[in-house]
Amino acid sequence: MEGSSINPWASETSLSVERLFAEFGIEPIDQVVDRLPEKPVFFRRGIVFGHRDYNQIADAIRLNHPFYVMTGFMPSGHPHLGHLMVMKEVVWHVMQGGTGSICIADREAHAVRDLSWDDCDRYAKEYLNCLFALGYTGKTYSQRKSRDLQDLCFEASTKVNFSELAAIYGFGPDTDLGHAISVTTQVADILYPQVAGKPAPTVVPVGLDQDPHIRLTRGIAHKMRMFTIQEHDGCISVRSKNAPESAMDSIAGMFPRVRRCSGHIDIYDASCGDVKTQIRNIEIAHGGYGFVTPSATFHRFMPGLQGGKMSSSVPDSIIGFMEDDITVKKKVMGALTGGRQTLALQKEFGGRPDECPVFLLNLFHMIDDDATLAALHEQCIRGELMCGQCKSDTASRVQEFLVKFREKMDETEHQVKECGWL
Ligand code: TRP
């Protein structure tokens, strides 16, 4: 698979943040989070660095309007600390009033990673248990078991062709259809909350590698609309793409001042927000979807303990939720750090916390208090804290965290059963 700049199935993506902003249209998160009533750790610490269309989510949170939060997990191995951030993001958005939807991407794991269905189910339960331990409430489903999702996937498939898949993912003549179907299944995952419920903004917290899916879904959501709506000099133009004439009649009759032309209707003296809502309702009444184009946030990946990505295929790079104290200690003590070659050099020049997997483990998950984290950072760059001590402190924090987390998992295991997964 060639030709794509971000490949969701590669183990590494190394694109500069500037290029993402300039070329891919991902926007920096800073300004938009100022509109939130409360800033969680992942926004404060730059873990989530970019977004598409998050404004509509920030507004929904602030104004207490309905919105969805959805993401998917591919059950291709045991969940580990590398999955924790996105889980926390989902749970936080649910706490802010979002309606949650969690997809277990078993079709994708089967097609792309060749996992058996039984293994998918086994891992799926572990992911869900972690989510419940963090306080998740909301819907959970499996791609292979949801017939409605598959119907939506089929509809979405009618809006994608092979050249688009080639351009976005680098698919070629040798790519199997399972890959293509996983892609349109993910599109359906993202749009599905709006079909099961009413159309509303949807945020999809993901790592950057998933952006191709986000872009494709946003395009398809737009293509599946019956109308386009444009505001220009004093009027709002509603243009039919494939709307039945009866839907156009309803629109013409709904607003006091309209000018009906062939293929579009100009509406005067109305607010754009109102028009959008009304048009969406008309679209649904005529059998359409009325999708709100979904939003996304993008987080940095926590580096693996050996540098690189945290990945199940490199056991020493990850910390699993079930790992015992001795293994945790061994892995953290053996981690790559931002330290210098000798003690003397480190005392003189200080460590490099910003590129240190151990510091980042603390930044992502192990130290909640900002002042404590800032003090650690400071001590490190001043050459006051050596790596051995820092790793040993960090290992204790991880052990303590895991003990508590597993207690929570035990307490919430019944929820996995209750949602039909055991
Ligand atoms: N493709 C995602 C992964 O590799 C999993 C996934 C499936 C997903 N459906 C989704 C992610 C919907 C976000 C939204 O991990």
Side-chain angles (χ1 to χ4, degrees):
M1 285 177 222
E2 283 172 10
S4 134
S5 305
I6 304 177
N7 178 350
W9 299 287
S11 54
E12 200 82 48
T13 44
S14 54
L15 277 174
S16 77
V17 169
E18 290 70 33
R19 262 197 72 195
L20 291 172
F21 293 157
E23 284 177 38
F24 288 90
I26 291 176
E27 290 186 62
I29 197 83
D30 315 0
Q31 294 111 4
V32 63
V33 294
D34 289 342
R35 298 159 73 156
L36 289 171
E38 166 206 331
K39 271 201 220 179
V41 157
F42 48 83
F43 285 143
R44 288 202 308 272
R45 297 186 181 170
I47 295 169
V48 171
F49 64 90
H51 74 97
R52 289 188 189 273
D53 244 349
Y54 193 76
N55 289 300
Q56 54 179 351
I57 303 297
D59 289 347
I61 292 174
R62 215 185 46 242
L63 303 170
N64 230 343
H65 289 170
F67 72 99
Y68 301 103
V69 52
M70 94 76 46
T71 199
F73 295 93
M74 184 152 55
S76 55
H78 297 289
H80 54 69
L81 285 186
H83 301 111
L84 188 56
M85 185 45 67
V86 68
M87 292 180 179
K88 286 182 177 172
E89 287 175 58
V90 170
V91 171
W92 183 82
H93 281 97
V94 170
M95 303 292 176
Q96 300 305 305
T99 300
S101 177
I102 291 292
C103 155
I104 294 297
D106 47 3
R107 281 199 151 177
E108 185 181 3
H110 190 70
V112 177
R113 295 280 156 83
D114 205 19
L115 249 83
S116 74
W117 299 119
D118 281 351
D119 282 346
C120 287
D121 284 350
R122 205 155 48 84
Y123 294 133
K125 287 172 203 160
E126 295 178 19
Y127 278 91
L128 295 175
N129 201 169
C130 290
L131 279 154
F132 290 134
L134 291 166
Y136 176 75
T137 52
K139 194 181 155 92
T140 62
Y141 69 91
S142 122
Q143 288 177 334
R144 83 173 192 279
K145 292 178 193 162
S146 171
R147 205 26 240 277
D148 291 347
L149 180 85
Q150 290 157 19
D151 288 344
L152 183 59
C153 164
F154 190 80
E155 291 283 1
S157 306
T158 67
K159 305 291 180 202
V160 200
N161 62 30
F162 284 106
S163 40
E164 200 174 357
L165 292 179
I168 299 181
Y169 299 98
F171 285 0
D174 297 335
T175 308
D176 61 88
L177 277 181
H179 262 80
I181 295 174
S182 313
V183 165
T184 46
T185 304
Q186 180 152 350
V187 169
D189 288 330
I190 297 172
L191 298 177
Y192 186 59
Q194 300 192 59
V195 175
K198 288 198 172 95
T202 305
V203 61
V204 189
V206 280
L208 191 56
D209 62 318
Q210 299 295 304
D211 186 50
H213 301 304
I214 301 294
R215 269 180 285 150
L216 179 68
T217 308
R218 286 169 55 85
I220 291 179
H222 182 73
K223 286 183 195 157
M224 288 173 91
R225 293 289 317 258
M226 282 179 181
F227 305 99
T228 57
I229 302 167
Q230 249 183 346
E231 194 173 15
H232 52 94
D233 344 290
C235 94
I236 299 160
S237 275
V238 179
R239 193 166 291 276
S240 160
K241 292 199 284 182
N242 52 10
E245 220 30 46
S246 57
M248 294 297 270
D249 296 342
S250 308
I251 294 172
M254 181 158 268
F255 297 95
R257 277 197 61 208
V258 300
R259 191 165 66 102
R260 189 162 180 177
C261 314
S262 80
H264 76 277
I265 297 173
D266 290 338
I267 300 169
Y268 299 87
D269 303 333
S271 91
C272 199
D274 287 349
V275 171
K276 283 186 175 165
T277 312
Q278 305 265 36
I279 300 297
R280 192 162 270 129
N281 292 338
I282 290 176
E283 190 170 319
I284 293 167
H286 288 81
Y289 291 102
F291 289 131
V292 178
T293 304
S295 313
T297 57
F298 300 97
H299 54 255
R300 285 173 212 286
F301 289 113
M302 184 164 66
L305 294 174
Q306 305 298 321
K309 201 175 163 185
M310 268 210 170
S311 158
S312 313
S313 54
V314 186
D316 280 345
S317 73
I318 60 166
I319 295 175
F321 291 107
M322 291 303 158
E323 282 178 350
D324 61 43
D325 284 359
I326 296 172
T327 313
V328 167
K329 178 100 186 183
K330 213 175 77 204
K331 285 189 178 180
V332 177
M333 294 312 288
L336 182 83
T337 70
R340 307 279 170 179
Q341 251 145 2
T342 66
L343 218 55
L345 282 174
Q346 181 142 351
K347 283 189 177 153
E348 190 176 343
F349 297 108
R352 286 157 295 193
D354 301 315
E355 49 195 88
C356 172
V358 178
F359 179 75
L360 291 171
L361 181 57
N362 285 298
L363 178 139
F364 269 70
H365 298 298
M366 295 304 148
I367 296 181
D368 290 335
D369 179 54
D370 289 343
T372 311
L373 186 75
L376 177 67
H377 190 266
E378 191 68 22
Q379 282 182 311
C380 174
I381 51 176
R382 285 203 184 147
E384 292 164 12
L385 178 66
M386 296 299 121
C387 295
Q389 182 64 48
C390 177
K391 286 200 274 194
S392 153
D393 297 345
T394 304
S396 309
R397 285 185 204 116
V398 177
Q399 289 164 343
E400 199 183 318
F401 167 82
L402 288 178
V403 169
K404 286 205 197 117
F405 195 73
R406 285 192 289 254
E407 276 172 21
K408 279 271 174 234
M409 284 182 76
D410 287 343
E411 279 169 32
T412 53
E413 199 185 328
H414 66 98
Q415 288 181 260
V416 183
K417 277 199 197 92
E418 281 154 20
C419 65
W421 283 86
L422 271 182

